[in-house]
């Protein structure tokens, strides 16, 4: 997919060394691992994986379980998937599922499971999110505060997921 934002193109084609730029903070969502939280559900669409990847890295090696649902059109657009797969293989507290909306998972081989990273065709659904949240709550004492959810992706995805799940997902819209 050859879609490049005007801002990104300008940074790489028009700015020269020494050019002053103005940068603003993206938002006010803050994350730091909390020992009271037993599971963190991370939902990413496209390049929305970037801030969530930082959260995953911060949580590796803790007792909190991290589960990622990550959607993109094609395998090529699932940036960092090799790194995420490696993290899942080497960290007991991290697992991931990848959703491809425009590419068949059959193209990935005979199995839709590759180690601890699972490939699925279609979109991330509220039913999948609710099932994970319910499972985590049941496992950790049926208390709401044991699970946190973070969501980052295109605005339609954020709206659809956040309005149709049984957990308050934390997110920011900056575009």
């Amino acid at each position: 997919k050859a879609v490049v934002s005007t801002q990104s193109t300008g940074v790489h084609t028009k700015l020269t060394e020494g050019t002053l730029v103005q940068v603003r903070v993206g938002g006010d969502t803050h994350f730091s691992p909390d020992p009271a939280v037993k599971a963190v559900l991370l939902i990413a669409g496209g390049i929305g994986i970037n801030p969530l990847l930082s959260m995953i890295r911060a949580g590796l090696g803790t007792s909190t379980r991290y589960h990622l649902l990550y959607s993109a059109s094609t395998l090529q657009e699932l940036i960092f998937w090799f790194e995420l797969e490696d993290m899942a293989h080497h960290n007991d507290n991290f697992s991931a599922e990848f959703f491809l909306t425009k590419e068949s998972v059959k193209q990935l081989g005979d199995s839709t499971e590759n180690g601890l990273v699972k490939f699925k065709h279609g979109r991330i659904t509220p039913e999948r999110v609710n099932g994970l949240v319910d499972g985590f709550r049941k496992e950790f004492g049926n208390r709401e505060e044991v699970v946190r959810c973070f969501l980052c992706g295109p605005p339609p995805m954020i709206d659809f997921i956040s309005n149709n799940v049984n957990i308050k997902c934390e997110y920011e819209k900056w575009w």
Side-chain angles (χ1 to χ4, degrees), residues 50-89:
N50 285 300
L52 302 184
L53 183 57
S54 296
M55 298 164 103
I56 294 165
R57 288 177 180 146
L60 294 179
T62 68
S63 61
T64 302
R65 184 171 315 149
Y66 289 78
H67 188 80
L68 172 67
L69 301 176
Y70 179 19
S71 176
S73 296
T74 65
L75 184 61
Q76 184 177 357
E77 292 180 12
L78 282 170
I79 59 174
F80 304 118
W81 85 270
F82 283 116
E83 180 179 353
L84 292 161
E85 180 182 42
D86 187 60
M87 286 181 193
H89 284 294

Side-chain angles (χ1 to χ4, degrees), residues 6-50:
T6 304
Q7 293 81 11
S8 295
T9 301
V11 166
H12 295 285
T13 61
K14 296 179 182 172
L15 296 182
T16 59
E17 187 174 333
T19 301
L20 294 177
V21 296
Q22 183 177 11
V23 179
R24 67 177 173 88
V25 175
D28 60 1
T29 296
H30 172 75
F31 174 79
S32 59
D34 178 352
V37 174
K38 303 300 180 195
V40 175
L41 179 58
L42 303 154
I43 305 168
I47 62 168
I49 189 62
N50 285 300

Side-chain angles (χ1 to χ4, degrees), residues 67-71 75 78 81 84-85 88-89 94-100 105 108 111-122 124 128 132:
H67 188 80
L68 172 67
L69 301 176
Y70 179 19
S71 176
L75 184 61
L78 282 170
W81 85 270
L84 292 161
E85 180 182 42
H89 284 294
F94 174 66
S95 56
E97 296 173 62
F98 292 162
F99 294 78
L100 303 176
V105 293
L108 301 175
S111 175
T112 59
E113 189 167 324
N114 187 2
L116 301 174
V117 177
K118 298 174 184 166
F119 292 90
K120 299 179 181 189
H121 180 73
I124 298 169
R128 181 66 187 131
L132 287 165

